[in-house]
Amino acid sequence: MRADELLKICAGIAILVSILLLFTVSGSDITQTTVRNGYIVNPDNTTISMDGNITVVLIGQNVRFMCGGKETGQVTIRGIKDTPTEGYLFKSNTTGWFDTSGMEEGMYNATYGDCWELLAVSKTLMDLRLMVGTKEVTGICEGTPLRVDLETNLDKNDCVDLVVRTPEGYLLTQNPADPNQKFDDINVSQLLEYGSENESKWINTTGWEIGTYTFSVRTEEENARGLDVCSKETELAVLRVEINIEAEKCVVVESEKVRLTVTGAPKHNITISSSDPAHTIFPAGYEDNPPFDSSGFNDTIDENGKREYVVYFNDTGTYTIKVTDTTAGLSDCVDIVVEVKMVSFDVPSTVVIGEAFIIKGVANIGNTVDIAVENYVYPELNDIPIDENGEFETEIDTGTTNITPFTVPGSVLLKAYIDRAVGAGEIGANETEDGSVAILMVRAGLTAELSTDCVAQGGNFMVNGTARGVDNVDIVVVAPKGSNGSMICSNGTPLQAGTNIYYAVVPVTAEGAFSKKICVGMDVDTGSYLVVVFSKGRDGVYGRGYNNLTEALTNYNLSEKTQAEVLDILMDATIDTAGSDDLMWIGYINVIPRLNVSISKSAVSPGDSFEVYGNASSDYVEIVAISPGGGGGTGLDGLYGVTIYTVPTFSLVNTSGFYNLNWNITLAPLIPNGTTNRPPRTNITINLTGPETDKYNFYKRIKVDGDADTGNYTILVLSPGIDGVYGDSLYKYMNTILDLDGAGPELGAIDVSNKTQEEIVKIIEDATVNAAGSDDLIWMGNIIVSNSSYIDTGQSPSPYPSIFGTHNGTIVPANDITVSKIFVYPCVGTGGHAEYVRIWGNGVDAHATWNGYGGEDWNILHFNRTFTLEAGKEYNFTIKTGSYPQIFHEEVLETLDGSIVRCKEFVDANGKRHKWIPAFKIYA
């Protein structure tokens, strides 16, 4: 949408708000009511007195205009200028009656002679929600009062039906539990009472059948001012009344808190009790517990049918917690086993020798805890205090401790003893621990690995590893061409200003692990990149005492250095420095060209063609087209649901053969000139990307068989990578991996004849790019095969003479199509385009304006709204063109999809008149 259009709409909205503040709805527009089924209801129309006020009208109402208390003649209704309704025009019949069904929302001015009235037209709002109290529900227990909440802009006297159908499909005209609650032929006022805050007005569901009911609201046209509308249907499951209690854990230790969940009928009263209340505590303030400590209590189930409680026990044994629904006379219980005291440790799984670490944990009872290391309690681990929260903590420095097991590599077993009185020394044969845990003692070190040894441009890889005794590691990546080659990640940080050496500081977890995802730029140099990981030693510094790697390199110039020279400098500044204990890991990753793919069309008709083209890194690519019907469908070639095309790649040299391949070396994507219905052996020109030494370009024109399935096809383009085979197999071609018809081309092929589109994609991915060690490349796109996806004249076989101007004419679509865009075919080498387009008629009025030559889709115009052109109906069009558009020099044209385009008049830029039609395509 253009800025000036947006400003107009905003201005219109402001004017509308101002008008509504100045006027009120005309009181004379309230029509005479009647009585139906005991309720006051409206007639079948709204009478509007044209006395210069504003009247709110709902789309679909029957309107009767009056002027000065008398019947009017034909009333004219126009959209308001500078608002979304501008351009809309309606007329009543000659006696002032008007059906509003065809109107759009917004403000209109109705006039008859000197009489006028502003109409505020809006859609009918009927938002139905089923609720219990303040919560929306999709299911209730039988007997629960149901609140039927309707948000609506209907009049309180409009006649409606609350349409309630039983699980068997029978219609309820009144509540079987309360005959006074009517559902049929009631007014909106009565329906709103069913959704009021007064619970006595809610729907009584006592005795309702168990099953799924449907609810909706429908107006009675003859007593709802002509409105015939229905709300969205809502389902409600009516369930048997049940009560249930579940424990989060059924085995706990003394004083360990456990969550209880009770589910049942909303609003029912319940009682919670314990088989041993003397040792059961529901602590105050937890979840839905009472505000005081209790061993049992009474409560009421929430509107959502659930309550949650927390309980603990101060003695061992088996406890039964029972919930009783005192309203329904039902009960349920859960057993919880309480075991003896216990210690839960919280210690690192791995500890670096020479560093300090913390031994801590939680004991469910007691005042002190002894920690035995390999069955011996050392003095510093004797009688560690347990605080009021049951927690304990102590620090051990493995660099100075006398606890021998903490100073040598290996697994060390820790055991905890609550309130042990023996003191330091060996654990006795009859002593039983209250908890245990093992930790691994390790020396400082560095390991690393790459997730793959080969990655494509635009892909990514991981650097994973372990580093002991440090908070972070440094990762450096150097291009094949050295410090001034491509930085592997386009938005990465340089190690040193003026270079393209990638640098990242990566945190190390408490367990000593690190991981870094590196995204490879789309256009970086291909070849072998050097990957180096650095870790500071136990002294915590690099080289001669530097806090970080960049400081260690301050006295070095990395600019204009080869890959090997950069590595020498990095080693000299770190691991080769005298006295250094720094650590370094070296690896290499090969960056290969990316798979670059384009599809010439987004939609195509059966019998038409499209092109798939681009560049790869192999001698061939394979194009796999998967029918929307999967392996059991009919594919693009009219055979199996999966169609495979093996396409050789070529270099940018002049070749002879089926196509003449000329090229223009640009940075634009590879785009065939012209994309529709070429006769056999037509010469074409292809614009190819890259320098003249580029290899591995590919091009495939695919004709869609007339019997192919319609719908959304998944298009995969596969390259087997540098190793020339797919995945970890020896197969070079997909037809040896996939069995298309179930007959099996060879032993071991995967039968896809009965698989869905998604399943086939997963099978192909697992066999290629997801296989261990794979360097395969895959690209995924789609194309829609449809008989009615567009109206397309195709390109003119004789586009000249061409001149810009204004075309006026008509279109009769062959099929129903949804439209949002249009483009005009330019003459080759020109900027031919549409500057303004309008399509109108049969309820359609839409326009599109050109935004200039900026952007990739400069020649595509977007309409101000999405609309539908119906088959067989005639629509007017105006197309104003610029530069040199392709032209059909004829008055009537049948398009590629069978639609008919007729030129009424074309006025060219010189004022001359012709019967010419521009070459264009309109589509969604």
Side-chain angles (χ1 to χ4, degrees), residues 570-739:
L570 293 173
M571 295 172 64
D572 188 64
T574 56
I575 62 172
D576 288 347
T577 299
S580 171
D581 63 350
D582 300 339
L583 302 173
M584 182 175 72
W585 176 92
I586 298 174
Y588 290 89
I589 188 163
N590 190 29
V591 175
I592 62 176
R594 70 182 185 274
L595 186 58
N596 182 27
V597 183
S598 296
I599 298 181
S600 61
K601 299 179 180 179
S602 60
V604 66
S605 299
D608 201 353
S609 299
F610 65 96
E611 285 92 4
V612 181
Y613 46 88
N615 351 79
S617 58
S618 53
D619 293 332
Y620 64 92
V621 297
E622 293 197 288
I623 302 171
V624 180
I626 308 173
S627 162
T634 301
L636 295 178
D637 61 356
L639 298 175
Y640 312 120
V642 178
T643 310
I644 301 173
Y645 305 91
T646 301
V647 183
T649 58
F650 55 88
S651 59
L652 296 182
V653 295
N654 234 345
T655 61
S656 60
F658 187 83
Y659 297 109
N660 288 336
L661 299 173
N662 302 317
W663 61 87
N664 297 319
I665 308 305
T666 69
L667 295 177
L670 185 152
I671 304 174
N673 296 329
T675 57
T676 57
N677 299 328
R678 301 189 191 85
R681 306 196 65 79
T682 299
N683 291 338
I684 66 169
T685 299
I686 303 176
N687 295 327
L688 297 174
T689 303
E692 294 187 19
T693 56
D694 268 3
K695 298 181 180 180
Y696 307 125
N697 301 284
F698 64 89
Y699 171 86
K700 177 63 178 178
R701 179 171 178 264
I702 298 175
K703 180 177 178 61
V704 180
D705 190 87
D707 293 327
D709 293 334
T710 58
N712 194 349
Y713 281 74
T714 295
I715 305 295
L716 303 179
V717 179
L718 294 155
S719 168
I722 294 175
D723 62 7
V725 295
Y726 287 120
D728 56 358
S729 72
L730 298 177
Y731 297 125
K732 299 182 63 175
Y733 301 104
M734 288 307 300
N735 61 9
T736 57
I737 296 176
L738 303 180
D739 177 1

Side-chain angles (χ1 to χ4, degrees), residues 183-228:
F183 297 160
D184 189 54
D185 291 346
I186 61 177
N187 60 19
V188 171
S189 180
Q190 175 60 57
L191 181 57
L192 294 177
E193 283 193 8
Y194 296 156
S196 69
E197 295 183 0
N198 185 349
E199 186 173 342
S200 66
K201 301 293 185 179
W202 298 353
I203 302 298
N204 180 3
T205 64
T206 302
W208 279 34
E209 296 178 41
I210 305 304
T212 300
Y213 291 71
T214 61
F215 289 73
S216 61
V217 176
R218 174 174 288 282
T219 59
E220 291 285 4
E221 181 178 3
E222 63 273 17
N223 289 112
R225 298 173 293 166
L227 283 172
D228 183 14

Side-chain angles (χ1 to χ4, degrees), residues 716 718 726-729 734 737-738 750 758-774 776 778:
L716 303 179
L718 294 155
Y726 287 120
D728 56 358
S729 72
M734 288 307 300
I737 296 176
L738 303 180
I750 303 171
E758 293 78 11
E759 289 172 336
I760 295 170
V761 171
K762 181 66 165 56
I763 288 170
I764 293 174
E765 288 179 334
D766 288 346
T768 57
V769 292
N770 291 341
S774 171
D776 302 338
I778 189 170

